[in-house]
Amino acid sequence: MDYKLELIVMPVADMDRAKAFYSERVGFHVDVDHRGGGDFRVIQLTPPGSACSITLMRNPERAGAVQGLHLVVQDIEAARADLVSRNVEISQPFHFGPEGQTPGLDPDRRNYGSFASFNDPDGNSWMVQEVKR
């Protein structure tokens, strides 16, 4: 039996601001932006090349509650440069060494070894992780 993770709900305070951040700055594809009467709205976005999407949910009380989602890329330096060019505030690359989190790329560029991080406007946090396939 396969269990495929295909959707993650992201609580946000402002749907339009979050949609603009993920689509215009981070580069996610807008799959759905549907209003269904009253306050109901569904915005689903998918990272390029991903089988898993996010759905924005207006929930100001829980905005910023999602922490540590990982976007896996083959080249973290290229991915970071792309995000910087889109005005995303992203950390410098880091890895985990004997002393814990350490600045710079993993010295051996091992799979799952190099990271960078960023937050959306609500404080939901993301990690970019390098995995060469």
Side-chain angles (χ1 to χ4, degrees), residues 18 30 35 40 42 53 55 64 75 79-81 83-84 95 111 120:
V30 178
R35 294 176 192 266
F40 180 78
V42 173
S53 302
T55 291
D75 183 336
R80 185 179 180 285
L83 291 169
V84 167
H95 66 283
N111 284 337
D120 74 8

Side-chain angles (χ1 to χ4, degrees), residues 9-127:
V9 176
M10 301 287 294
V12 298
D14 183 314
M15 298 282 278
D16 290 320
R17 179 183 68 182
K19 177 185 176 186
F21 176 79
Y22 284 108
S23 65
E24 297 168 16
R25 293 180 56 199
V26 183
F28 287 15
H29 178 263
V30 178
D31 303 316
V32 175
D33 185 348
H34 173 73
R35 294 176 192 266
D39 200 19
F40 180 78
R41 185 176 182 191
V42 173
I43 302 174
Q44 181 173 315
L45 304 105
T46 303
S50 181
C52 187
S53 302
I54 62 170
T55 291
L56 304 177
M57 175 184 70
R58 192 174 102 44
N59 186 343
E61 296 79 27
R62 298 289 300 152
V66 176
Q67 301 292 305
L69 293 178
H70 282 55
L71 293 170
V72 176
V73 298
Q74 289 188 26
D75 183 336
I76 197 162
E77 292 175 302
R80 185 179 180 285
D82 176 57
L83 291 169
V84 167
S85 77
R86 295 168 170 275
N87 295 317
V88 174
E89 292 183 28
I90 184 168
S91 75
Q92 291 293 324
F94 60 90
H95 66 283
F96 293 94
E99 304 299 317
Q101 186 172 322
T102 305
L105 298 168
D106 177 80
D108 299 318
R109 294 298 286 270
R110 292 173 291 198
N111 284 337
Y112 309 100
S114 296
F115 304 86
S117 62
F118 68 91
N119 293 333
D120 74 8
D122 289 294
N124 295 301
S125 75
W126 293 83
M127 299 280 280

